Amino acid sequence: MEKKSEAIETQVPKGHLHPITSLIREIQTIFAELGFAIAQGPEAETEFYNFDALNIPADHPARDMQDTFWLKTPERKVMRTHTSPVQVRYMETHKPPLRIVVPGKVFRNEATDATHEAQFYQVEGLLIDKNVSMAQLRGTLDYFFKRLLGPDVTVRFQPSYFPFTEPSAEIFISCFKCKGAGCAICKRSGWIEVMGAGRVHEHVLRSSGLDPKEWSGFAFGGGIDRLLMLKYGVEDVRHFYNGDLRIVNQF
Amino acid sequence: MKISYKWLQTYFDTPLPSPEELSAAIGYHLSEIEGTDKVGDDTVFDIKVLADRNRYLLCHEGIANEIAAILKTDRKPIVEPQFTTSKTPELKITVEKSDLCDRYFGRRIETVSVGETPTWLTERLTAVGQRSINAFVDAANFVMLDMEQPLHVFDADRVSGNITVRMAREGETITTLDGKEVKLTPAVLVIADDAGPLAIAGIKGGKRAEVTVATKRVIIESAHFDASYIRRTSTAIGIRTDSSKRFENDITGDFARRGMDQLTALLLKLGGKDAVAGEIVEISSHTPTPRTFSVNPKQVADIIGIELSEADTVDILKRLRIGVEKAGDLLKLTIPLDRGDLNTVEDIAEDVGRIYGYEKIPATVPPKLEGQIGFPKDFYYEEKLRNFLIGQGYSEIFTSSFDQKGEIEIANPLASDKAFLRSNLTENMIRSMHMNVQNAPVLGLDAVRAFEIGKVFKKSATPTKENSVYEYTSLCAAVRLARPNKKIKINDIIRDLRDKLVTFLGAESGVDIITMCTVDDTGGLIMLNNKQIGTINAVDGLMELNLSEITAVLSEPNTWDLPEYRMPEVTYKKLSQYPFVLRDIAVFVPAGTSSDELLTILKEKGGPLLGRTELFDVFTKKFPDGSEKTSYAFSMVFQSYEKTLSDAEVNPITEEIAREITKKGWTVR
């Protein structure tokens, strides 16, 4: 006589969260410790919120910085090229002081390869208060990256330009893999570029109905996919978007 | 922007630091260096000039000015070129569109005779990747790369009559220097003579008055064009040049004056002993004057978040060529003409901050904020649902927002099968399930379960002038069996999931969603308050519903009650691009033997090509001789990272496993 064993009658195993969801959760957890709330906005965005309100007027070279998908709609919508439009939407509807992080999908009209996807996830941060400084921006990002990647990680600024921040900075973190010795991840430089950031441009504050004389702020934004690829050594960004459980179930 | 180390050195009496040190200083204080190349005995930096600094840094002098500020060293004083002018035939210039061309300088140079371009000049140009064409063109390019101003040289013998800066006429065409015929429209500004267009203003020269080594008489143009006009036009006609790039970045009109003199002096040097320069002809409707504004040095330091004395601030400003005058608590600044990017106290703070050193800015965590942290209701319930679905065995997938069909079309899609925004998640889910079922042995799953929560896009049922798109969050969940099993119906599994989901959301939100959310079983429709919000098992084992409609009726959560989250510590294994080979093995072992003992043999003898193993069947049987034996059946996945495996590679491995098992006295069934 044969008896069935439990091997094929086990319970359904637990499913897996997508790694992007996991990282968004961790980002939310860390920023909540600093008082940042979650905010969201639409993926199909108006020209006003995606460009004009962010100090990127038509006929300005800065519009070239982001290759845009345009929709065939009468109102000329775009697929948002960044999560920054949510800054303006949030400031329009909430009274400062305020602190938000905005995780979300963004779109760039560029050919895809192992390191470029036409759609990917970004996280945006915004803090509005009185007398906000670049030092506070550095302090916030330093806190975040230390909590995310380890206490040895340090944050470095490099001069940069974004139409919606002034002063602007490119954010580098010390390489968490080689601790600065130089490896493939940091291209032997000891530093990894992870975000763009700066003090919120007064044009953005005014577009959102705030008085730049009274309020100031900082904002930052970076790719979630890229952080995941760095942290876990995922070799191809497209792995995240093809519905392949061989990827998801590893996390 | 390619910048030559040797060229930079011409701006300094003292030797510059080594290329490595210089490169690091530029990286920290100005902008990223994308590459460094050795060219002969020179070093060439590829500097990624920031968009708002293109107006003054697409040239060696601009970078030299920055280096002087960064290194606290003096550059050589500016010496205006000295030369004498003579009487030359009259040069008549008319500017019809002073709004698009607010400065135009022209000058004749007569009885020129250029030979080969001197070595020092070709060396400079080739170092930064420019081809030497002839001495006239090389000289104009040199001055542009040296001090930013785009210049043009016409062969005066090929120009008929007077120069007019005007809009092109309907039907006019021009053959550009590279031999392309361009149809002009009245929206395009041209430099014309009495016979027609000579150049597309600020963008590209024409073939007709092209200079050659044989040219004896030239007209030099040094002008200033409206930045947004140039950008619009060069985009419209599809011609981008070194010239248009500089003009569209709003360089100062002052460069036009300086550029004219620099090129004149250089052509007199290269043009032989008989060369004579005529008087300058200037048509200006606007003469640039330095702007002034005042800043509070305390505010400058506060924006950066550093302690910086007024004296130190003034020192940095002066190194940046900014004039400073004390006016009470304020500093009255006079901005250099080429620095149109400096307009506000924030702009000043950025420049003071980066020269002071961004790396010296302290890290200060902002003070705590009073009150509770808010969160969007949608986000909250989506997170709850994710946890619920994972508990039910469903894994989360993300898929493309583009599809080959849909309701909202993309004007400039990447490909024809990505020409629409997705209007559902079902299509991508079907594709994903198909792939994942094929990979089920690698995944080690009897049934593949997956879900996606994501935005989909439809035409709005109530379009307005501002918005014709209905964007909402959809939820799709599906299950497929890895191996056929008559006893399990996937449609039942999905129905069970839907019931649990509705119950779960009802319990979470305290809203009686069970009554509101019903199913029309005949049509497989999911209804909310008698309105269809989704389908179930329209495709076997799959449901999709409008999550935004559901969250809208749920109650507002009071507090964030989801646990703090840390990412799993896992070691990611790269995927093999090659197909796997699946082999099953069933073995009788004496009852009481653990399956681990068998597994050890499989792993040891399976070697590096053996991936996942799965125990999929176990039973124990009494034999007629009274012995009791247990059968363990394992599936084994073989896969290589280097190639597609064949039987010739897998069979010897499985044979070796079988031999080892026989040695143990066990029986391979």
Side-chain angles (χ1 to χ4, degrees), chain B residues 260-446:
Chain B
M260 170 55 85
D261 283 350
Q262 306 249 359
L263 182 56
T264 305
L266 184 52
L267 283 184
L268 288 176
K269 208 159 104 186
L270 305 180
K273 58 180 178 12
D274 298 332
V276 289
E279 291 300 334
I280 201 162
V281 179
E282 175 180 3
I283 313 289
S284 288
S285 57
H286 172 76
T287 305
T289 47
R291 287 165 302 116
T292 60
F293 59 91
S294 295
V295 297
N296 184 332
K298 171 87 174 68
Q299 198 189 352
V300 170
D302 284 349
I303 286 172
I304 314 164
I306 50 172
E307 300 288 334
L308 190 66
S309 72
E310 187 181 304
D312 288 341
T313 308
V314 169
D315 175 57
I316 291 174
L317 290 169
K318 285 188 170 161
R319 278 153 58 195
L320 287 164
R321 300 176 292 134
I322 297 168
V324 187
E325 255 181 86
K326 253 190 88 68
D329 287 342
L330 301 181
L331 301 175
K332 190 180 167 204
L333 308 181
T334 304
I335 307 298
L337 290 170
D338 59 341
R339 294 299 309 273
D341 58 314
L342 296 178
N343 297 298
T344 63
V345 64
E346 287 83 7
D347 296 333
I348 297 297
E350 175 173 275
D351 264 29
V352 169
R354 73 184 171 87
I355 296 295
Y356 169 78
Y358 266 11
E359 76 279 7
K360 288 188 263 176
I361 298 176
T364 316
V365 177
K368 279 246 178 294
L369 208 58
E370 295 297 312
Q372 216 195 332
I373 300 170
F375 52 90
K377 183 171 142 185
D378 290 10
F379 183 78
Y380 173 83
Y381 283 113
E382 283 165 28
E383 286 291 274
K384 287 262 165 175
L385 265 181
R386 285 190 172 95
N387 288 350
F388 164 78
L389 288 161
I390 279 164
Q392 299 297 314
Y394 290 75
S395 285
E396 184 181 29
I397 60 167
F398 281 16
T399 64
S400 169
S401 297
F402 304 138
D403 208 343
Q404 55 190 333
K405 52 189 198 297
E407 297 185 15
I408 308 292
E409 198 173 351
I410 297 166
N412 52 341
L414 274 175
S416 59
D417 63 344
K418 295 169 180 160
F420 289 87
L421 297 181
R422 64 183 176 189
S423 59
N424 62 63
L425 301 178
T426 296
E427 298 295 325
N428 284 341
M429 182 59 82
I430 291 170
R431 280 190 280 272
S432 163
M433 292 309 271
H434 182 72
M435 167 176 58
N436 287 318
V437 165
Q438 287 188 328
N439 289 330
V442 180
L443 295 163
L445 294 174
D446 301 326

Side-chain angles (χ1 to χ4, degrees), chain A residues 148-212:
Chain A
L148 185 73
L149 298 170
D152 301 338
V153 170
T154 56
V155 169
R156 172 162 89 68
F157 284 6
Q158 182 173 291
S160 192
Y161 168 73
F162 306 103
F164 32 93
T165 50
E166 188 73 37
S168 301
E170 208 72 58
I171 308 301
F172 289 76
I173 53 170
S174 58
C175 185
F176 53 90
K177 280 273 148 68
C178 67
K179 316 278 181 217
C183 66
I185 287 181
C186 59
K187 295 185 197 120
R188 264 151 274 284
S189 72
W191 295 95
I192 306 170
E193 189 179 334
V194 283
M195 277 184 172
R199 237 165 136 271
V200 180
H201 196 286
E202 60 176 1
H203 177 99
V204 180
L205 294 173
R206 275 198 302 270
S207 303
S208 314
L210 297 185
D211 180 0

Side-chain angles (χ1 to χ4, degrees), chain B residues 167-187:
Chain B
M167 302 319 288
R169 301 195 177 110
E170 203 67 67
E172 275 185 329
T173 60
I174 185 169
T175 305
T176 55
L177 279 169
D178 50 356
K180 290 199 185 89
E181 180 159 311
V182 178
K183 285 200 176 87
L184 300 170
T185 69

